[in-house]
Amino acid sequence: MAGFRALAREVRDPERHIAQRRSALRKCLERFAPYGHRATWHHLCTRAGIAPEDRDPDPARLVRALEELEEARALWLAYEAEFAERRRQEKHEGIRQPSAVDDWHLRTWGGCDIVPCESPTAHPRGRLAAVLRRMIQAMEGRPAGACPVCAEEHLAWREDLDHSPWAGPVCTGCGIVVPTPILTAAALTAARRLAHSRRYATV
């Protein structure tokens, strides 16, 4: 099975048919998809000006989408290396139990669903690397009362998510599922209250 770098070379290869190059980019998302496969694909297409279902996209736009994905992947790999080194040091010092934030990070190992989006068409608008940088800062900081990506304070608790964890707060601004360890108790309570009020407003 080809790795991310080999697939990236295929995306850039002008000797390949454009459909093959598009397919290679889709396969890149099997190795690294911060928002989940479908949401990351929709994001890249939107940012690069490609119709998600276009089988014959402009090659330059395809490469532009790849470059944004590569930028984000490089940032995440650097963070993963730092995380692994810190855990080795902590274990050396006798700290065996990872924190709640570290436990969440371990579920994202490999680069998929780092910033999961509940809907494939609702995702942050900024560059992937910028969004990941904000998430990393939030993971390394103190719990806050708003979405770490767009600063939206209105978070709605959902219990029907399509991936693990199966329940959690969803940002009503940018659509990400916000990791509970980076939110304050008050923010989580408000998210549950908002979901409750919306549920009964439709009855």
Side-chain angles (χ1 to χ4, degrees):
M1 181 180 293
F4 185 95
R5 291 182 180 178
L7 290 168
R9 286 194 294 270
E10 291 181 15
V11 176
R12 288 190 169 92
D13 187 353
E15 300 298 319
R16 288 181 175 270
H17 189 278
I18 191 61
Q20 293 177 310
R21 296 171 67 179
R22 177 187 182 276
S23 177
L25 181 59
R26 290 297 299 261
K27 289 179 181 178
C28 283
L29 301 185
E30 296 174 7
R31 281 74 176 169
F32 182 72
Y35 298 158
H37 191 283
R38 292 192 299 160
T40 303
W41 176 251
H42 190 274
H43 168 87
L44 292 174
C45 289
T46 301
R47 295 267 307 167
I50 302 171
E53 301 304 322
D54 187 359
R55 303 290 176 178
D56 188 26
D58 177 66
R61 295 187 180 194
L62 204 62
V63 171
R64 191 183 310 156
L66 172 65
E67 289 173 344
E68 179 170 348
L69 188 66
E70 288 177 322
E71 178 190 22
R73 181 173 179 268
L75 176 72
W76 185 251
L77 289 178
Y79 175 72
E80 282 192 331
E82 293 174 3
F83 174 86
E85 179 57 34
R86 175 168 60 82
R87 287 297 298 138
R88 278 194 292 270
Q89 184 63 32
E90 288 175 347
K91 289 179 180 179
H92 178 72
E93 295 172 359
I95 304 173
R96 296 286 176 177
Q97 185 64 36
S99 68
V101 171
D102 290 341
D103 182 60
W104 174 84
H105 173 268
L106 289 172
R107 292 200 300 271
T108 69
W109 195 265
C112 291
D113 290 318
I114 301 168
V115 190
C117 297
E118 181 55 16
S119 168
T121 58
H123 42 72
R125 295 182 179 179
R127 290 185 69 81
L128 280 173
V131 171
L132 289 184
R133 194 172 289 110
R134 292 191 195 106
M135 183 60 72
I136 289 170
Q137 291 172 347
M139 287 194 290
E140 295 179 339
R142 293 185 175 184
C147 171
V149 173
C150 69
E152 173 63 60
E153 294 183 356
H154 291 88
L155 309 174
W157 190 267
R158 293 278 300 275
E159 296 184 351
D160 57 348
L161 301 180
D162 290 334
H163 46 73
S164 179
W166 308 109
V170 176
C171 177
T172 60
C174 66
I176 72 164
V177 180
V178 184
T180 56
I182 64 177
L183 293 172
T184 61
L188 291 172
T189 298
R192 291 186 174 92
R193 188 181 301 119
L194 177 60
H196 185 270
S197 63
R198 287 185 171 184
R199 186 179 303 118
Y200 282 94
T202 59
V203 174

